[in-house]
Amino acid sequence: MENWKERLAGAALAARQYAYAPYSGFRVGAALLTAEGKIFTGCNVENASYGAANCAERTAFFKAVSEGERQFLAIAVAGGKEEEPEDYAYPCGICRQVMQEFCGADFMILTVRRKLDWQEYSLRELLPHGFGGDGLR
Ligand code: THU
C-alpha cells in the first residue's frame, strides 16, 4: 500500500506554497505522518535576523508535538530554489536531531523532488549513531 507515500509527498509539495523564504529563496515544505494517520504540514519561516529561521521539518514537528502528538511514522520534505528542483532536498542536521528526539530508527524520510518522484531513507541511515536522551536520564 504505497498510496500513503504519494499523499504525504503531495502534502509536502502543497505546504511549500507557504514557505517564507525572502532571504535564501530556498522554499521548503514538509508533511509529517503520525502513528494514527494524521498529517501535520510545515514550511520554512525565515527572518531578517537569519539565525531565527525555522526549517519546514521542525515547523511540522513543533506543530504536531504542541498538539499532543508524540508518535510519528514518516516525514516528506520538498525543497529547492526552483519550482521543480534538480536535486532532492535533505533535512539539515538540526532537523535530524529533532527527529531523533521523537522517532525510532525506522522512521522514514521521503525527499521529494516532484509528484511521484522521491527517495526514501530511514532515520538510521540519515543520522547514524545519533545522540538521544537515554544517557541523560
Ligand atoms: N531549510 C529547511 O526548511 N529544511 C531543511 O532541511 C534545510 C533548510 C530551510 C532553512 C532556510 O530557510 C532555507 O532552507 C535555506 O537554508
Side-chain angles (χ1 to χ4, degrees):
M1 175 53 170
E2 297 291 289
N3 193 33
W4 67 269
K5 293 180 187 173
E6 212 174 304
R7 277 201 299 127
L8 201 65
L13 286 164
R16 227 189 133 206
Q17 73 184 292
Y18 300 117
Y20 178 71
Y23 304 104
S24 73
F26 195 90
R27 302 167 60 80
V28 189
L32 177 63
L33 180 67
T34 72
E36 283 127 29
K38 254 177 103 175
I39 292 177
F40 287 81
T41 58
C43 65
N44 55 333
V45 183
E46 297 189 346
N47 194 284
S49 175
Y50 295 173
N54 202 57
C55 290
E57 297 92 317
R58 274 176 289 145
T59 303
F61 265 95
F62 296 159
K63 280 171 68 178
V65 173
S66 66
E67 292 187 27
E69 302 289 345
R70 292 279 177 87
Q71 292 196 306
F72 305 105
L73 296 176
I75 192 167
V77 187
K81 284 204 161 192
E82 289 82 37
E83 196 54 39
E84 300 222 321
E86 230 173 84
D87 301 318
Y88 298 93
Y90 290 87
C92 81
I94 299 175
C95 290
R96 294 179 199 201
Q97 184 64 29
V98 169
M99 293 172 195
Q100 165 93 23
E101 185 69 26
F102 294 104
C103 308
D106 291 323
F107 179 71
M108 190 182 287
I109 296 125
L110 309 182
T111 58
V112 183
R113 198 159 59 162
R114 57 177 69 85
K115 199 172 180 327
L116 303 180
D117 177 2
W118 64 77
Q119 296 194 319
E120 299 180 15
Y121 301 89
S122 64
L123 184 57
R124 180 187 290 106
E125 289 175 291
L126 292 194
L127 189 63
H129 306 291
F131 179 74
D134 287 352
L136 300 174
R137 284 189 265 269

